[in-house]
Amino acid sequence: MMLIPSLLLISCFLASLIVNSAPAEDLIVSMPGLSTQLKWKQYSGYLNATGSKKLHYWFLESQNKPETDPVVLWMNGGPGCSSDLGLLSEHGPFRIDSDGKTVLNNPYSWNLVANMIYLEAPAGVGFSYSPDKLDYKTDDDQVALDNQLALKHFFLKFPEYKANAFFVTGESYGGIYVPTLSARLVDDSSFNFQGFIVGNGLSDREMNTNSLIYFEYYHGLIGDKVWADLSEVCCGGNVTRCSFMASAKKSLACEQLVTGTMEIVYSSGLNEYNLYGPCEGQKGLVFDEVSKKLTFTHLNWPFIQFPPIQKQVKALQENADIENNIRLTPPCLNYDQVIKYMNSPEVRAALHISKEVQKWDICSAAVGMQYKSLYSSVRNQYLKVLSRKKRVMVYNGDVDMACNFLGDEWFVSSLGQKVVTDRSMWHYTNKAGKQVAGFVKQMEGISLVTVRGAGHMVPTDKPEPALIMFSSFLQNKPLQ
C-alpha cells in the first residue's frame, strides 16, 4: 500500500532535480573586467564534502556542444594550491592582465571542447572552507573521499550532465589527487567515468628525485666532476639507473652530494618550473615587515627528501601561527594580478563568495604545511584504473624540474603495459608551418606525452599544442 506514495515521492524528487538543473543561484551573470560578455554560461558556488566542508567550484560550459561534450574536472596541486589558478593562468578562457582588473581572452581554452569543472580542494584552499577550520589538516585519502562527495553534489546540481563522459585531470601534486580519486570513481557506478590525465605530476617520489639528478647532468647544471663523484660515492661506479636517494639514506658522503645537486635546482635562483624561464618571484623564506607575514616559497617540500627544506618546514610548523602568519607561494612565479583580481569585491560578488570566507590566495599554508602525504607512489591506483579499461594520459613539459619528464617516463614504464606504438614525434601547425610539438609513446590504455619547450604549467607555456593534446585524448584519437 506504500508503493504509490513512494513512487510519487521519487517522481517529485526527480522532477525537482530537473527543475533545479543548472542552479540559477550559482550562475555568474557577468564577468568583471571582461569587455564583451560571454555567449556561454558559467557557474560558481559550493559543493558539500564530509562534515561541514564547503568546496568552491567554478564550472564553465563547453563553447562547442555542452549537452554532449565531456565533463572534465581539473585540479591543481601543491598540495594546497587553488585550481582557479589553472583556470585563470593556464587553460581557462580568461587571462588576467597585469593591472589585476582587465580580463583577456584565451583562444586556446579547454572549454572549447569540454565542460570544465575547476574544484578548489581541500577545504581551506582558495575560497573553499570549513566553518570550524578543524578540517584543514588532511591527507591523500581524505581528499579523494571529499572530492568524490563534492562531485556527487555537482551532478545533483547539474543532472543534465550526468550521462556525459566524465574525466579527471590535474597537474603537479595532482599526480596524487587524480589517480587516488580515479581509483574511487571506478568503483562508483553513479559516474560515467572514462579515464584521467596527469600533467607534470608527482607519481613516484623516489623516481622523481633520482631522475632529477640525471636531468641536471644532461642539461648542463652539474659537471663531469660532480657526476663522477655521484657515480662513485652513491652508485659504486654504475649510473645506469642509480637510486641516489636510497644511497643518500645510508651514506653521509652521498647525502651531501645529493643535497648539493638539489640546492642547484631549489636554492640557486633557477626557475624550478621551467629551466629556461625567468625567475620572477622571491625564493626561500621572506619576512615582510609591513604585513608581518612570512612567505615560504619551497612548495616542493612534500616531493623530495631534502634535509635543509625539511628542517625549515619543521621549525615553521612548531613555532608559527601557520594560518595567520605564513604564506605558501610558488617560487619564481608572479601571480600578483590574479590575487588582486580574485580579491576584488566585484569578483567575489560575481562568484557568490560571502564576506565570511577568507581572502583568496594561490596556495594555503594552513592546508599545505599540515598536509599528510600517504603515498610515495600511485602505482596501484594506476593499475586499478587501467585494469578497468579506462584511458590514461601522462604528459610532461620537457623543461620542468619540479616533476621532470624522465621520472614520469620511468614510472609509466614500470607499470608494464604492452607497447602499442613506440616513441615518435607529434606535431602542430602555426604560421611558420608544421612544428614538432613533442613526443608520444602509446601503451595499452596509457599515453606518455612530452611537450617540447614547456615547463611545469604546459598550457601556459604552450597553449596551442596543449589544446590539441587535450582534444585528441578526449576524442580517443592518436597524436601525429
Side-chain angles (χ1 to χ4, degrees):
M1 294 181 63
M2 296 299 293
L3 180 60
I4 294 177
S6 296
L7 289 174
L8 181 62
L9 287 173
I10 293 171
S11 298
C12 290
F13 174 69
L14 293 175
S16 70
L17 290 182
I18 296 172
V19 171
N20 293 324
S21 63
E25 67 273 15
D26 291 354
L27 178 67
I28 300 175
V29 178
S30 65
M31 186 77 177
L34 193 64
S35 58
T36 303
Q37 293 306 317
L38 307 169
K39 296 180 180 180
W40 43 272
K41 294 179 181 180
Q42 56 176 334
Y43 299 81
S44 169
Y46 285 92
L47 303 173
N48 297 330
T50 58
S52 61
K53 297 170 189 170
K54 305 291 183 182
L55 302 187
H56 175 245
Y57 81 95
W58 193 335
F59 175 58
L60 313 176
E61 280 189 351
S62 171
Q63 298 183 46
N64 181 39
K65 296 179 179 179
E67 63 279 1
T68 57
D69 283 343
V71 176
V72 177
L73 172 70
W74 173 264
M75 294 182 288
N76 278 79
C81 297
S82 170
S83 297
D84 287 350
L85 196 63
L87 191 163
L88 297 172
S89 69
E90 294 190 62
H91 42 62
F94 313 121
R95 289 285 184 275
I96 309 303
D97 207 357
S98 57
D99 61 4
K101 298 179 181 179
T102 306
V103 178
L104 307 175
N105 177 59
N106 172 24
Y108 303 108
S109 172
W110 286 8
N111 87 315
L112 288 167
V113 296
N115 301 286
M116 296 295 301
I117 309 168
Y118 295 86
L119 183 66
E120 295 194 290
V125 172
F127 288 137
S128 294
Y129 70 99
S130 179
D132 56 19
K133 299 184 180 180
L134 297 177
D135 293 328
Y136 293 174
K137 189 174 183 179
T138 190
D139 60 43
D140 295 331
D141 285 342
Q142 186 63 52
V143 170
L145 173 61
D146 285 335
N147 289 342
Q148 180 185 17
L149 293 177
L151 288 170
K152 284 180 176 290
H153 191 192
F154 173 85
F155 284 110
L156 284 176
K157 285 194 172 195
F158 296 88
E160 65 270 35
Y161 291 105
K162 195 171 180 61
N164 297 44
F166 178 63
F167 295 90
V168 178
T169 64
E171 74 183 11
S172 194
Y173 202 83
I176 303 295
Y177 290 159
V178 170
T180 51
L181 172 60
S182 298
R184 298 186 68 93
L185 297 183
V186 293
D187 291 330
D188 190 336
S189 61
S190 67
F191 293 92
N192 188 15
F193 175 69
Q194 297 299 311
F196 69 78
I197 302 175
V198 170
N200 287 83
L202 175 65
S203 304
D204 184 291
R205 283 192 180 86
E206 190 156 329
M207 288 183 185
N208 186 58
T209 306
N210 287 332
S211 61
L212 178 57
I213 297 175
Y214 288 84
F215 180 101
E216 287 186 84
Y217 179 54
Y218 289 108
H219 284 80
L221 303 187
I222 56 178
D224 283 341
K225 184 181 185 306
V226 173
W227 183 248
D229 289 343
L230 284 162
S231 171
E232 183 62 35
V233 175
C234 299
C235 314
N238 180 14
V239 289
T240 302
R241 181 70 68 85
C242 178
S243 180
F244 295 103
M245 295 310 298
S247 297
K249 293 175 183 177
K250 301 175 183 177
S251 164
L252 178 60
C254 179
E255 179 187 321
Q256 290 173 340
L257 285 169
V258 170
T259 298
T261 65
M262 295 296 103
E263 286 176 342
I264 293 171
V265 173
Y266 297 112
S267 302
S268 68
L270 289 174
N271 184 340
E272 66 195 62
Y273 297 112
N274 187 324
L275 173 58
Y276 303 126
C279 185
E280 298 181 12
Q282 296 172 320
K283 226 173 162 50
L285 296 170
V286 180
F287 183 72
D288 188 323
E289 291 289 349
V290 177
S291 66
K292 304 298 183 185
K293 192 164 243 188
L294 188 67
T295 298
F296 184 61
T297 61
H298 284 298
L299 284 187
N300 278 291
W301 61 265
F303 296 174
I304 60 171
Q305 301 300 313
F306 186 25
I309 292 179
Q310 288 183 322
K311 291 176 183 177
Q312 289 174 328
V313 172
K314 186 175 181 180
L316 288 172
Q317 289 174 320
E318 292 176 349
N319 302 311
D321 181 344
I322 295 175
E323 182 177 359
N324 296 318
N325 296 319
I326 298 177
R327 288 189 65 211
L328 281 181
T329 63
C332 291
L333 303 176
N334 185 357
Y335 293 117
D336 288 348
Q337 76 279 15
V338 178
I339 296 173
K340 180 179 179 181
Y341 181 81
M342 291 293 279
N343 285 310
S344 71
E346 296 80 10
V347 171
R348 288 179 67 104
L351 298 181
H352 317 114
I353 309 300
S354 71
K355 294 179 180 179
E356 288 71 33
V357 175
Q358 71 272 3
K359 289 184 178 180
W360 189 90
D361 209 342
I362 301 166
C363 304
S364 167
V367 173
M369 296 187 70
Q370 300 181 91
Y371 193 95
K372 185 176 181 180
S373 298
L374 302 178
Y375 299 102
S376 59
S377 174
V378 284
R379 173 185 172 83
N380 291 339
Q381 287 82 356
Y382 269 75
L383 291 175
K384 179 179 180 180
V385 172
L386 289 169
S387 72
R388 304 295 181 86
K389 306 302 180 183
K390 306 303 180 182
R391 293 190 291 114
V392 175
M393 174 186 281
V394 174
Y395 72 83
N396 289 79
D398 61 11
V399 293
D400 174 35
M401 296 188 290
C403 296
N404 73 89
F405 77 94
L406 187 56
D408 276 339
E409 183 175 338
W410 289 358
F411 172 75
V412 171
S413 296
S414 76
L415 299 176
Q417 302 301 110
K418 182 181 178 181
V419 176
V420 177
T421 305
D422 213 343
R423 196 173 191 268
S424 60
M425 294 180 180
W426 67 282
H427 304 82
Y428 74 106
T429 302
N430 62 14
K431 293 180 180 179
K434 189 175 182 180
Q435 306 293 325
V436 175
F439 294 83
V440 58
K441 182 177 182 179
Q442 182 64 51
M443 288 142 282
E444 284 189 348
I446 185 167
S447 303
L448 179 66
V449 182
T450 64
V451 183
R452 185 172 65 94
H456 196 66
M457 284 67 75
V458 169
T460 300
D461 295 338
K462 298 291 180 179
E464 186 174 0
L467 177 59
I468 292 170
M469 175 186 68
F470 178 67
S471 301
S472 296
F473 177 82
L474 295 184
Q475 297 168 14
N476 200 17
K477 294 180 178 179
L479 291 167
Q480 297 177 339

